[in-house]
């Protein structure tokens, strides 16, 4: 799977951890920044990830911030993005199964790197259920 990933200064270490894990799982990963812990604004990173996913350059996107709250808002401003803020495996499962999210948002101050891996794995492997959920995703898109 082609995955684009970005993080603000709070999420750089977690991003590196996830890139290592994703690569080991056989995914093609495109690191879109930030690359150090110097303070950076997250909205441009979120917009970039969203554009990469909606244009078809990537299958899925991951964004990491401090809590992920602002990042989720920014990602969902990009038409066609369905970003889910997931602080647990349960939320990741529901995000994929019910909402067909194409961008995962994580909070580096909220979850540990090990939890982030479990959340990401669940998000990537849980299939969308369709049915009544497809109707709702269509309503969101409209």
């Amino acid at each position: 799977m082609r995955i684009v990933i970005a993080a603000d200064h709070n999420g750089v270490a977690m991003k590196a951890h996830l890139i290592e894990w994703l690569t080991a799982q056989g995914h093609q990963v495109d690191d879109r920044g930030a690359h150090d812990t110097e303070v950076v604004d997250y909205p441009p990173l979120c917009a970039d990830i969203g554009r990469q996913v909606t244009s078809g350059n990537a299958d899925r996107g991951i964004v990491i911030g401090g809590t992920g709250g602002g990042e989720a808002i920014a990602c969902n401003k990009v038409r066609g993005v369905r970003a889910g803020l997931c602080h647990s495996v349960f939320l990741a499962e529901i995000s994929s199964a019910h909402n067909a999210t194409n961008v995962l948002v994580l909070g580096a101050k909220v979850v540990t790197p090990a939890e982030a891996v479990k959340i990401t794995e669940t998000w990537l492997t849980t299939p969308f259920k369709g049915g009544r959920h497809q109707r709702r995703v269509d309503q969101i898109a409209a």
Side-chain angles (χ1 to χ4, degrees), residues 13-54:
M14 182 175 284
K15 178 172 60 91
H17 182 76
L18 281 176
I19 289 171
E20 183 178 322
W21 180 80
L22 288 163
T23 302
Q25 300 306 304
H27 298 289
Q28 178 185 342
V29 182
D30 181 5
D31 182 353
R32 309 292 291 184
H35 301 291
D36 58 48
T37 57
E38 185 173 327
V39 175
V40 62
D41 294 333
Y42 60 81
L45 295 169
C46 296
D48 179 44
I49 293 298
R51 285 191 302 269
Q52 294 299 316
V53 171
T54 59

Side-chain angles (χ1 to χ4, degrees), residues 1 3 18 40 56 59 82 85 98 111-112 126 132 136 142:
M1 188 177 297
I3 299 171
L18 281 176
V40 62
D59 301 308
R82 292 177 309 281
L85 174 58
H98 293 192
V111 299
T112 67
T126 301
R132 70 180 188 271
R136 295 166 185 161

Side-chain angles (χ1 to χ4, degrees), residues 101-126:
T101 52
N102 51 15
V103 175
L104 171 65
V105 182
L106 297 166
K109 294 180 179 181
V110 181
V111 299
T112 67
E115 290 170 326
V117 167
K118 290 177 186 175
I119 290 166
T120 302
E121 180 176 35
T122 300
W123 180 72
L124 288 171
T125 59
T126 301

